[in-house]
Amino acid sequence: MKTLLLLSLTTFTSFGQVVQVPPKQIVPMDVQLRAKAAVQAQVEKTLQGDFKGVVEKMNPDHLKILAREMKVPVANVKARKVAQLQAIGQQGVVLEAMITLPPAGAFEVDYGFEDRIVDGKPVKVAGYRSWMVFIPAVMDISAMDRAAQPPRMRTIRKWSFEVAISRKKEEEWTFVNGDVVNALELRKLFKFLPQKDSAFNFPVKKAEEVERK
């Protein structure tokens, strides 16, 4: 098995030089729509205040990276995330509405070997083992602006996205919030991805005030 792995690595490197990124296939639209439905379920948890449930569905590999960078256990990272979400509501910020939009990009990711049965025999097959889908979301957030005279309620409409990730076999979706996503962060998760943000065509991230009627 070690020999097989070494031989496979030589298809990607030669004396330290990268030869070729393994070709990717288009992610089927039905897969992308299931990713959108999974993100919508996260939205519902958020609207219901189930912040623990939201954090539990964060991508585990992303959480491990955060834990290493923060030099704390993964459990601590989760606890901090839950506390941050709870604190937003305690500060008087209200999430009034949130919706998901159609998928806006998808990649095959997680290149490696997996066990398959070919001609009745178990074999190791190399390929992309997971899907990654960008799901845009829009939310309206309101809070009291006490610095204004007189104080008034302000509503901000924010556009962002979720990165939905799932192994192909199990198709159990986990998530990375798009607010912290760029090419560098995604390449920490999956090696064979573009190096530049422009290659991803990320969904828009912006915020603007909505006039209250």
Side-chain angles (χ1 to χ4, degrees), residues 20-207:
Q20 185 178 6
V21 174
K24 296 179 173 65
Q25 302 298 316
I26 294 174
V27 178
M29 183 51 68
D30 62 321
V31 171
Q32 297 187 45
L33 292 176
R34 291 198 295 272
K36 179 180 183 296
V39 173
Q40 185 61 45
Q42 286 289 89
V43 167
E44 297 301 325
K45 290 179 184 177
T46 303
L47 292 170
Q48 295 166 8
D50 181 11
F51 302 130
K52 184 176 180 180
V54 170
V55 172
E56 284 299 321
K57 294 297 289 183
M58 290 181 66
N59 181 263
D61 293 326
H62 176 62
L63 287 171
K64 290 176 184 177
I65 292 171
L66 293 178
R68 287 197 298 269
E69 293 175 346
M70 298 166 65
K71 299 181 180 178
V72 298
V74 170
N76 290 35
V77 177
K78 289 183 177 181
R80 291 185 188 187
K81 292 289 183 182
V82 172
Q84 288 170 356
L85 292 170
Q86 291 173 336
I88 292 173
Q90 294 166 357
Q91 292 166 3
V93 178
V94 178
L95 177 58
E96 294 191 346
M98 184 175 180
I99 60 170
T100 53
L101 302 176
F107 290 81
E108 284 191 312
V109 291
D110 186 24
Y111 193 86
F113 291 93
E114 60 183 353
D115 296 320
R116 294 185 188 175
I117 302 297
V118 178
D119 296 329
K121 298 179 181 179
V123 296
K124 293 283 186 181
V125 178
Y128 289 100
R129 298 171 294 187
S130 300
W131 286 303
M132 180 178 72
V133 186
F134 301 148
I135 306 296
V138 185
M139 66 180 73
D140 283 356
I141 307 168
S142 294
M144 182 65 68
D145 182 0
R146 303 190 184 281
Q149 295 298 326
R152 65 185 183 91
M153 187 69 74
R154 299 178 63 187
T155 299
I156 302 298
R157 182 160 293 165
K158 179 182 177 182
W159 284 262
S160 186
F161 64 96
E162 289 287 320
V163 182
I165 300 167
S166 175
R167 290 291 290 254
K168 292 181 179 180
K169 278 187 175 181
E170 297 86 3
E171 195 163 323
E172 183 175 345
W173 295 95
T174 59
F175 310 96
V176 178
N177 186 269
D179 287 347
V180 300
V181 161
N182 55 31
L184 176 61
E185 292 302 317
L186 289 181
R187 282 172 61 83
K188 291 179 183 178
L189 288 170
F190 306 113
K191 294 180 181 178
F192 298 113
L193 284 172
Q195 297 184 27
K196 296 182 179 180
D197 288 358
S198 58
F200 287 90
N201 193 26
F202 288 122
V204 65
K205 292 189 284 188
K206 66 177 183 178

